[in-house]
Amino acid sequence: MINISKIFYPKNDCNLIRLGNENDGGYIVEENSVRSSEILISFGLSDDWSFESDFSKLGEKKIYTYDYSVNLRFWIVNFIKSLINIFLLREPLNNIKKLKEFYSYKSFFDKKNNFHYKKFISPKSMRKNMLDNNFITDLDNILKNLEKNFFLKIDIEGSEYRILDQIIKNSKKINGLAIEFHDFDLHQNVIKKFVNELDLKLVHIHVNNYGTINSDGIPSTIEFTFSSKEFISNDLNNDKVYPVVNLDKPCNKNEIDHKVIFN
């Protein structure tokens, strides 16, 4: 059983759809917030761009992805690991598929409207003693020339806390937001403040079952989805159960999604 504060219960009525893989890499989003967005800004890529791919299929969209770690070295290491696993007969079919990922990556990001920037997302105040400035950018800089009509997706392994203030500052521009919070059990007060100050409404949560659960039943990793108020109805005290049947899927397909209790 998963225990989460009732403050994080999504009470808003809207149309939810899934974009991305059936398991890890997929997110539940508000349909109108993505269909009305001309641009997707995505932080965090690794070897899974299924969300970005599905987003691009919804119309004439521009995809801007930021991840400095996905570079030539990344692909060489993945290639060598896959070859070793095939040789050792460790999930050979899955690793053969991984060998083809680079060509899939090139095919997707070679399209005229899809862009991958090898940049690390960080506030200007955090740049000292980090990477070369050529590999660093911040959210304010990315959004300064955008007025509205974009969707924001964030999965940056804990660095999301460094840009929460910038997300709040720009939230009136954002149609929708999908963000994965890491170490949720340690940062609940920070996340509560973020939810309360954001000019968007919480429409869905999903516990990532790759994460841990502490002795109080509180998970370490949760995916949150928000939508602009214009795409949802008034708050409802409904009885929706999480995970949502036929919509949510376990991130780790080998483990179940436990029922969430809000208290």
Side-chain angles (χ1 to χ4, degrees), residues 170-196:
N170 290 281
S171 59
K172 290 184 181 297
K173 296 181 176 183
I174 303 172
N175 280 352
L177 165 68
I179 180 170
E180 184 167 88
F181 284 106
H182 302 80
D183 298 320
F184 172 84
D185 52 325
L186 301 179
H187 299 300
Q188 291 185 76
N189 289 334
V190 174
I191 300 170
K192 287 177 184 177
K193 180 175 181 293
F194 175 76
V195 171
N196 289 332

Side-chain angles (χ1 to χ4, degrees), residues 12-23:
N12 302 287
D13 192 26
C14 59
N15 299 319
L16 297 175
I17 60 172
R18 185 181 189 88
L19 297 183
N21 284 335
E22 280 287 291
N23 303 109

Side-chain angles (χ1 to χ4, degrees), residues 62-108:
K62 289 189 175 181
I63 312 294
Y64 297 96
T65 302
Y66 295 79
D67 192 326
Y68 82 100
S69 67
V70 180
N71 50 30
L72 182 59
R73 181 180 181 277
F74 172 89
W75 291 114
I76 291 173
V77 170
N78 274 16
F79 186 81
I80 293 172
K81 284 182 178 179
S82 297
L83 285 180
I84 293 172
N85 286 331
I86 290 171
F87 178 77
L88 296 176
L89 299 179
R90 296 173 181 164
E91 300 184 331
L93 293 178
N94 185 52
N95 281 283
I96 289 172
K97 180 181 177 181
K98 283 183 172 294
L99 289 177
K100 301 177 181 178
E101 283 180 348
F102 176 73
Y103 300 100
S104 174
Y105 162 85
K106 287 290 291 179
S107 176
F108 182 71

Side-chain angles (χ1 to χ4, degrees), residues 65-238:
T65 302
Y66 295 79
D67 192 326
Y68 82 100
S69 67
V70 180
N71 50 30
L72 182 59
R73 181 180 181 277
F74 172 89
W75 291 114
I76 291 173
V77 170
N78 274 16
F79 186 81
I80 293 172
K81 284 182 178 179
S82 297
L83 285 180
I84 293 172
N85 286 331
I86 290 171
F87 178 77
L88 296 176
L89 299 179
R90 296 173 181 164
E91 300 184 331
L93 293 178
N94 185 52
N95 281 283
I96 289 172
K97 180 181 177 181
K98 283 183 172 294
L99 289 177
K100 301 177 181 178
E101 283 180 348
F102 176 73
Y103 300 100
S104 174
Y105 162 85
K106 287 290 291 179
S107 176
F108 182 71
F109 285 103
D110 279 346
K111 295 178 181 177
K112 66 176 183 178
N113 287 332
N114 302 338
F115 306 91
H116 171 209
Y117 298 103
K118 298 177 179 64
K119 298 279 189 178
F120 182 86
I121 306 301
S122 172
K124 293 179 181 178
S125 60
M126 300 298 296
R127 295 188 181 189
K128 186 177 181 181
N129 297 326
M130 288 183 65
L131 299 170
D132 184 290
N133 280 345
N134 290 329
F135 295 99
I136 301 174
T137 188
D138 68 354
L139 183 60
D140 281 342
N141 185 59
I142 292 168
L143 301 185
K144 65 182 180 181
N145 294 321
L146 293 179
E147 294 299 324
K148 56 180 181 177
N149 291 337
F150 66 89
F151 192 96
L152 186 61
K153 178 208 144 194
I154 301 173
D155 182 4
I156 49 179
E157 307 302 320
S159 291
E160 62 272 10
Y161 295 102
R162 301 185 187 280
I163 60 171
L164 295 185
D165 288 345
Q166 291 185 1
I167 297 173
I168 292 170
K169 174 183 172 182
N170 290 281
S171 59
K172 290 184 181 297
K173 296 181 176 183
I174 303 172
N175 280 352
L177 165 68
I179 180 170
E180 184 167 88
F181 284 106
H182 302 80
D183 298 320
F184 172 84
D185 52 325
L186 301 179
H187 299 300
Q188 291 185 76
N189 289 334
V190 174
I191 300 170
K192 287 177 184 177
K193 180 175 181 293
F194 175 76
V195 171
N196 289 332
E197 294 183 3
L198 193 67
D199 195 51
L200 299 166
K201 290 290 188 178
L202 180 63
V203 295
H204 186 267
I205 69 166
H206 178 249
V207 176
N208 185 325
N209 66 345
Y210 273 113
T212 58
I213 302 171
N214 71 15
S215 58
D216 295 320
I218 302 172
S220 63
T221 310
I222 305 185
E223 301 158 356
F224 279 64
T225 304
F226 300 85
S227 172
S228 171
K229 301 169 188 176
E230 67 179 290
F231 303 120
I232 59 179
S233 66
N234 293 330
D235 289 358
L236 298 175
N237 292 318
N238 58 36

